[in-house]
Amino acid sequence: MDKLLSGRRFLVVEDEILVLMMIEDMLGDLGCESVTSAATIEKAIALIETQAFDAAMLDMNLDSDDSNTVADALAERGVPFIYSTGNTGRDMREGFSNRAVLRKPFSFEELTTKLEGLLSG
């Protein structure tokens, strides 16, 4: 039986290396074909402009800056994404308030549930 992410290309935008490594491992366990990562807004935008992704996970805050421009770039290309954040409040920008949010730290089961919802729509 295929895994949830079998054959999919995933972008992870995350500036905490340990969190990124955990996410990469989880996505691999879900069968992801390739995981590409970016730690800065600039790198994320460059990747989005030059590569195709099936889905993405986007940290809401990158190096004390919001990731709104990355969210816009993903949305413009029709790439479904979920947010991740260590913040306790849900400060969502208008137009993106319906996006799923994973609160850090999150479990493999929580990630799987959010991705199932993301990819079923």
Side-chain angles (χ1 to χ4, degrees):
M1 184 170 153
D2 282 343
K3 294 184 178 184
L4 177 63
L5 298 178
S6 289
R8 297 191 191 247
R9 297 161 314 225
F10 210 94
L11 173 65
V12 179
V13 183
E14 172 62 58
D15 58 355
E16 296 289 334
I17 189 67
L18 293 177
V19 174
L20 173 62
M21 290 169 56
M22 177 195 72
I23 293 168
E24 288 175 332
D25 285 346
M26 289 179 176
L27 294 174
D29 288 346
L30 289 169
C32 198
E33 178 180 305
S34 87
V35 178
T36 303
S37 63
T40 66
I41 291 170
E42 294 77 18
K43 182 172 180 188
I45 296 295
L47 288 168
I48 293 165
E49 289 176 347
T50 60
Q51 295 184 37
F53 298 100
D54 297 305
M57 178 183 292
L58 176 58
D59 190 349
M60 291 176 95
N61 297 298
L62 295 167
D63 195 27
S64 302
D65 197 4
D66 69 57
S67 57
N68 291 341
T69 55
V70 180
D72 289 339
L74 290 166
E76 285 173 15
R77 287 159 182 80
V79 177
F81 67 92
I82 57 175
Y83 283 112
S84 64
T85 186
N87 297 340
T88 55
R90 184 176 175 155
D91 185 21
M92 299 294 290
R93 193 170 113 222
E94 187 174 326
F96 291 99
S97 60
N98 64 338
R99 299 289 174 166
V101 178
L102 274 169
R103 300 270 175 230
K104 297 176 196 171
F106 51 84
S107 69
F108 180 78
E109 291 75 21
E110 290 170 315
L111 174 64
T112 301
T113 299
K114 296 289 186 184
L115 290 177
E116 285 172 341
L118 179 72
L119 298 172
S120 68

